[in-house]
């Protein structure tokens, strides 16, 4: 037999757990997930050495978002100039996201393959116009944007310079320094 005061407490506890779980599962489809641009500092080419850049939590993995403290412009075979993180990993944009206002739509299972690029308060930039960099709120974190487009890494890129996510599902593209999708071939 359950004493009378435990029954209501148990029900209240379960309801609270359910509501708290629902609060943390935003998919970005609601308005108001845009954030003002994060402070961004420009790096000189010498200061933007990927080995010198620090990250807040490492490169990330399939279990969570990827973190970076710098973005760089690199040349990729067949794609021209693209943007990479401080480890040389290609950054991508998703055609279903929105640039103005910045809005992400990749959530849930999608983020197991496409890791949102989470940034600290300031980001170093080399070869990317710092005025084009910004952020969007993502479940209590700050995701990097370029020309308003939220940025991601592809789990299939395991080494610097790889562009295995280019053109996936005709929706994912390496991002150029101006925020456009890379469509160059050859």
């Amino acid at each position: 037999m359950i004493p009378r005061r435990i029954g209501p407490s148990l029900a209240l506890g379960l309801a609270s757990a359910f509501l708290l779980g629902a609060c943390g599962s935003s998919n970005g489809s609601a308005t108001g997930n845009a954030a003002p641009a994060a402070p961004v500092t420009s790096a000189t080419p010498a200061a933007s050495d990927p080995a010198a850049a620090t990250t807040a939590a490492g490169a990330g993995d399939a279990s969570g978002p990827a973190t970076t403290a710098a973005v760089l412009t690199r040349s990729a075979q067949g794609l021209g100039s693209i943007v990479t993180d401080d480890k040389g990993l290609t950054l991508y944009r998703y055609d279903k996201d929105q640039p103005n206002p910045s809005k992400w739509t990749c959530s849930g299972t999608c983020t197991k393959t496409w890791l949102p690029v989470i940034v600290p308060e300031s980001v170093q930039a080399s070869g990317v116009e710092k005025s084009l960099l910004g952020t969007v709120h993502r479940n209590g974190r700050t995701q990097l944007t370029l020309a308003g487009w939220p940025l991601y890494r592809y789990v299939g890129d395991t080494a610097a310079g790889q562009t295995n996510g280019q053109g996936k599902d005709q929706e994912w593209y390496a991002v150029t320094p101006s925020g456009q999708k890379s469509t160059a071939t050859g």
Side-chain angles (χ1 to χ4, degrees), residues 45-154:
S48 66
D49 175 19
T54 59
T55 60
D61 59 24
S63 66
T67 304
T68 193
V71 291
L72 313 163
T73 298
R74 298 239 170 126
S75 181
Q77 185 175 4
L79 297 180
S81 291
I82 62 169
V83 178
T84 68
D85 67 7
D86 49 349
K87 293 179 176 22
L89 296 172
T90 302
L91 300 183
Y92 296 89
R93 57 174 262 190
Y94 184 36
D95 280 349
K96 290 185 178 180
D97 285 347
Q98 295 178 3
N100 190 16
S102 294
K103 182 178 165 186
W104 50 268
T105 59
C106 176
S107 63
T109 305
C110 178
T111 61
K112 301 281 188 215
T113 303
W114 300 96
L115 308 173
V117 177
I118 303 301
V119 293
E121 288 185 23
S122 82
V123 176
Q124 297 290 317
S126 178
V128 177
E129 180 60 43
K130 68 180 181 176
S131 67
L132 294 177
L133 294 173
T135 60
V136 64
H137 287 293
R138 182 177 193 95
N139 300 331
R141 295 186 176 187
T142 306
Q143 183 174 359
L144 183 65
T145 64
L146 179 57
W149 291 96
L151 299 180
Y152 303 84
R153 288 192 198 96
Y154 178 56

